[in-house]
Amino acid sequence: MATSVRAKPDGSPPPAAPPSSPGPRGHRATSRGWRSTLYRWDLKAIPYVFITPFFLTFAAFGLFPLIYTGWLSLNRVELGGDPTWKGLENYTDLATSEFFWNALFNTFTIGVIATVPQLLMALGLAHLLNYKLRGRGFFRVAILAPYATSIAAATLVFAQLFNTDYGMINGLLGWIGIDPVNWESSKWPAQIAISVIVTWRWTGYNALIYLAAMQAVPQDLYEAASLDGASRWRQFISVTIPSIRPTILFTIIVSTIGATQLFGEPMLFGGSVGISGGSGNQFQTLSLLMYEKGWVTGALGQASAIAWVMLLLLLLVGGVQALVTRHNRKKLGG
């Protein structure tokens, strides 16, 4: 029932009613509204805040150098000079450059010589460590020690071992009646020596990757193969290798990428002529050629073009990996 407001005796209007306050319920409703809004903003914005540092770092040190290098590859740029637009001239010059094709061939041969024995030995070591041996923990740490060694230290030691005049390798070859080998000046001996350094550093690392994959293989497969009379070698060929095939493919791709970017080992092995890959460019890789073009001769445009060719090669390797992976999935699905 409505309450009437009486006027004052002097005839003046009654005082206005005070504004209504929201009261305790209104305060709680407003508080719940703000909390709900902040909660929604928290769910939507906080994840982006957490990943923002990565994207900022990637944009500054990854994306921008990539785009800028691509722009430089389309220009003729001397170190300290202004760029001059040349289009694809740097790439056409590479196509007719004897030094580029020599570096590309050296990168491929050193990669093959280093990768194939490396992965084969890694498989063998992982197979041995997969069995119950005494001191397995010690051996696992020991085979990883070369990977923890710096490139400079390892290369300098092997450079002394492969020294033509007083190296231990030539001394051992002399004991069995083989003449000393000029490991630094000859093409194939130099590439073999560099491949030995790469193999020594990365075999243990790949062996631990294979070991982790082997330990994930179900033991039921080995027990069934053993009941069928399969030897350990047959189990390794018929059970272990097919089970860890994706891991083997992964290590092949990673080793190929590492071989494409090979830089420290040949540079330090060659000493004073390491940048040029020896006196006759006999072990100059694409990375060494890129460094020589950019910082020795000062042709930043050509160095940038070489960098983008290396990137295209890596993308090609990644595409091959994707095709092989898709083929294996279809094969297993079929």
Side-chain angles (χ1 to χ4, degrees):
M1 180 176 179
T3 304
S4 61
V5 181
R6 297 181 180 180
K8 294 182 178 181
D10 57 359
S12 60
S20 59
S21 60
R25 294 184 179 178
H27 281 298
R28 285 197 296 268
T30 304
S31 178
R32 282 197 299 267
W34 276 106
R35 289 179 181 177
S36 177
T37 303
L38 290 176
Y39 179 73
R40 288 196 300 268
W41 276 100
D42 181 58
L43 288 179
K44 295 180 179 180
I46 291 301
Y48 295 99
V49 173
F50 287 154
I51 65 176
T52 295
F54 165 77
F55 284 103
L56 291 177
T57 305
F58 173 74
F61 299 100
L63 186 60
F64 172 73
L66 180 66
I67 297 175
Y68 186 66
T69 303
W71 179 78
L72 286 179
S73 68
L74 302 176
N75 292 265
R76 175 169 293 176
V77 187
E78 300 297 332
L79 191 61
D82 296 328
T84 304
W85 180 261
K86 291 297 180 180
L88 298 177
E89 182 176 333
N90 288 324
Y91 294 94
T92 56
D93 291 343
L94 289 180
T96 57
S97 173
E98 180 182 353
F99 296 100
F100 170 76
W101 290 108
N102 174 70
L104 180 62
F105 180 75
N106 290 340
T107 302
F108 174 77
T109 54
I110 294 176
V112 172
I113 297 173
T115 300
V116 175
Q118 173 191 148
L119 297 183
L120 291 177
M121 288 190 294
L123 272 174
L125 288 174
H127 183 62
L128 292 176
L129 293 176
N130 195 31
Y131 287 101
K132 295 182 179 180
L133 301 175
R134 289 184 177 181
R136 284 189 303 173
F138 169 77
F139 288 117
R140 292 175 184 178
V141 175
I143 65 174
L144 195 60
Y147 172 72
T149 307
S150 67
I151 296 177
T155 305
L156 291 176
V157 170
F158 275 93
Q160 298 300 316
L161 293 176
F162 284 103
N163 188 276
T164 304
D165 300 324
Y166 53 83
M168 189 179 68
I169 303 300
N170 277 342
L172 295 176
L173 294 177
W175 287 352
I176 59 178
I178 300 177
D179 295 333
V181 178
N182 196 340
W183 295 102
E184 296 179 2
S185 301
S186 302
K187 182 180 180 67
W188 292 110
Q191 294 192 9
I192 291 174
I194 294 171
S195 301
V196 168
I197 303 173
V198 178
T199 301
W200 180 81
R201 289 195 71 245
W202 290 96
T203 298
Y205 176 82
N206 289 314
L208 289 184
I209 294 178
Y210 289 149
L211 178 61
M214 289 178 183
Q215 291 180 343
V217 178
Q219 292 298 320
D220 297 342
L221 299 178
Y222 293 106
E223 294 175 0
S226 179
L227 291 176
D228 290 339
S231 62
R232 287 189 173 183
W233 174 252
R234 175 51 59 185
Q235 293 178 24
F236 177 72
I237 296 298
S238 302
V239 178
T240 305
I241 297 297
S243 299
I244 66 171
R245 187 176 300 166
T247 305
I248 295 176
L249 178 61
F250 168 76
T251 55
I252 292 174
I253 299 301
V254 172
S255 300
T256 303
I257 293 174
T260 305
Q261 300 174 340
L262 192 63
F263 177 79
E265 289 86 347
M267 184 188 70
L268 295 173
F269 181 80
S272 59
V273 293
I275 296 298
S276 58
S279 56
N281 307 110
Q282 63 268 18
F283 55 87
Q284 187 177 48
T285 61
L286 287 175
S287 297
L288 287 177
L289 180 62
M290 178 184 65
Y291 184 88
E292 183 182 27
K293 288 291 184 181
W295 302 108
V296 178
T297 63
L300 295 180
Q302 294 182 12
S304 300
I306 296 173
W308 266 83
V309 169
M310 294 172 61
L311 174 62
L312 295 177
L313 290 175
L314 296 180
L315 292 177
L316 179 62
V317 172
V320 172
Q321 178 194 16
L323 291 176
V324 173
T325 303
R326 182 180 301 179
H327 174 73
N328 291 335
R329 289 178 179 175
K330 290 183 178 179
K331 186 176 181 180
L332 293 176

